[in-house]
Amino acid sequence: MTQPLDKKALRVEMRALRRHLFDSTPEAPARAARKLPVSRFGRFSIVGAYCAQGAELDCGPILQAILDLDPTRTQAALPIAAAKNQPLQFRLWRPGDPLTPDAYGIPSPMASAPLLLPNLMITPVLAFDRQGGRLGQGGGHYDRTLAALRRDRPVFVLGVAFAGQEIDHVPMGPHDQRLDAIVTETAYIEVGKEAA
């Protein structure tokens, strides 16, 4: 099989697995937030997060834990997909702010919210490995976005997943962007380090 076919088959398998994990571990978001070594994240001022769709693990408790470190300094930003094959844009979002569907129907901040450039990105994954490999949905939005952000400044990328989404090796292409760390309901994993 070629790599694209491998990724396609893996996505089908991992979507089914993630749905099962989502249904069987509803407490996973809160447990993942407790596994995060929050004090390590105080250096980040703009946190890019996401609105969980389908069976994605909700990053809300993780985002809130990071925002609570310094509410006067740390801001949250949510993505807006404006066009296919373009990097995501991030706009300021505060808990309770209204959301509106973007070009793909994903709840996003209002167009009047200021644009921000995150220095911490919290990303959903379909599968991950301990080398920082990340399998996404296949549209390339996060890979394009992370590549664009990393051209301009250092960006720490935190993958959020169920522990059962870990695989030995994620097939990676030349444009795929790696994670710096992963947090699950059972562990915090820094790439190249043992679980903490």
Side-chain angles (χ1 to χ4, degrees):
M1 251 195 244
T2 64
Q3 183 170 301
L5 290 176
D6 286 344
K7 279 187 168 185
K8 186 175 181 179
L10 184 58
R11 282 190 180 97
V12 170
E13 177 184 340
M14 295 307 295
R15 283 186 184 112
L17 174 61
R18 186 174 65 179
R19 170 53 63 189
H20 169 73
L21 296 168
F22 178 87
D23 291 340
S24 63
T25 52
E27 72 289 350
R31 287 174 54 197
R34 290 192 296 272
K35 291 295 180 182
L36 188 73
V38 176
S39 62
R40 295 187 196 180
F41 291 86
R43 68 187 190 270
F44 301 109
S45 57
I46 301 174
V47 184
Y50 63 91
C51 286
Q53 299 297 298
E56 290 175 345
L57 196 145
D58 179 10
C59 73
I62 293 164
L63 174 62
Q64 192 61 57
I66 295 169
L67 293 177
D68 287 346
L69 284 169
D70 189 347
T72 62
R73 180 180 158 276
T74 309
Q75 296 179 303
L78 294 179
I80 295 176
K84 190 175 181 179
N85 299 325
Q86 294 296 316
L88 299 168
Q89 296 179 337
F90 284 81
R91 292 191 180 273
L92 175 67
W93 177 80
R94 294 179 186 92
D97 281 358
L99 296 171
T100 187
D102 68 8
Y104 291 90
I106 307 296
S108 303
M110 306 298 282
S112 58
L115 288 169
L116 298 176
L117 291 175
N119 54 6
L120 168 62
M121 284 286 300
I122 301 173
T123 65
V125 302
L126 270 176
F128 70 91
D129 64 33
R130 294 202 177 217
Q131 295 75 49
R134 172 189 178 272
L135 182 71
Q137 293 285 5
H141 288 293
Y142 275 95
D143 291 317
R144 281 189 295 277
T145 301
L146 294 173
L149 288 171
R150 285 173 164 164
R151 275 194 294 272
D152 295 331
R153 62 196 299 196
V155 177
F156 189 94
V157 183
L158 174 66
V160 175
F162 296 95
Q165 292 175 261
E166 181 178 353
I167 62 175
D168 289 337
H169 175 72
V170 173
M172 299 284 287
H175 302 294
D176 292 334
Q177 296 288 309
R178 292 196 176 272
L179 302 167
D180 295 300
I182 303 99
V183 66
T184 74
E185 76 279 17
T186 63
Y188 174 74
I189 304 159
E190 285 195 21
V191 172
K193 299 181 182 179
E194 291 302 313

